[in-house]
Amino acid sequence: MDGFQKVAYIGLRKKDGSLMLNVPLYIKVAELNKDGMTETQTQMISRISEIMIKQYEKQLSDYFSSLKEKSNKEEL
């Protein structure tokens, strides 16, 4: 029996950068392993997680850089 499994969310943002809504991403699954997932699903989750982690690391880095710049400007 085929089914769908949620594997991630995509955060949509407004033009000003504020969060608009999160959209779930699903994959179609057929044969499940002992963890309740397919091999393809396991690989996709791993790849999507890797991409998302890199993106969030960049967002956090940019955020902390902007805080540091703001703090430096306020000290002047």
Side-chain angles (χ1 to χ4, degrees), residues 30 64 73 75:
F64 288 122
K73 287 180 183 177
E75 289 177 3

Side-chain angles (χ1 to χ4, degrees), residues 8-71:
Y9 286 91
I10 298 250
L12 301 178
R13 298 196 173 270
K14 297 177 186 174
K15 288 183 181 183
D16 67 1
S18 63
L19 186 62
M20 186 167 59
L21 81 127
N22 288 324
V23 177
L25 297 178
Y26 294 88
I27 60 170
K28 189 174 184 178
V29 296
E31 297 178 26
L32 303 179
N33 62 22
K34 65 179 175 156
D35 297 324
M37 297 186 284
T38 64
E39 185 60 33
T40 301
Q41 182 181 19
T42 302
Q43 291 171 358
M44 278 187 84
I45 289 171
S46 177
R47 181 66 181 134
I48 290 169
S49 296
E50 181 181 316
I51 291 167
M52 292 176 70
I53 287 169
K54 286 179 184 178
Q55 180 62 31
Y56 288 130
E57 285 175 342
K58 183 185 180 319
Q59 287 178 349
L60 285 171
S61 175
D62 291 348
Y63 173 74
F64 288 122
S65 291
S66 70
L67 285 179
K68 185 175 180 180
E69 288 177 21
K70 182 179 176 182
S71 176

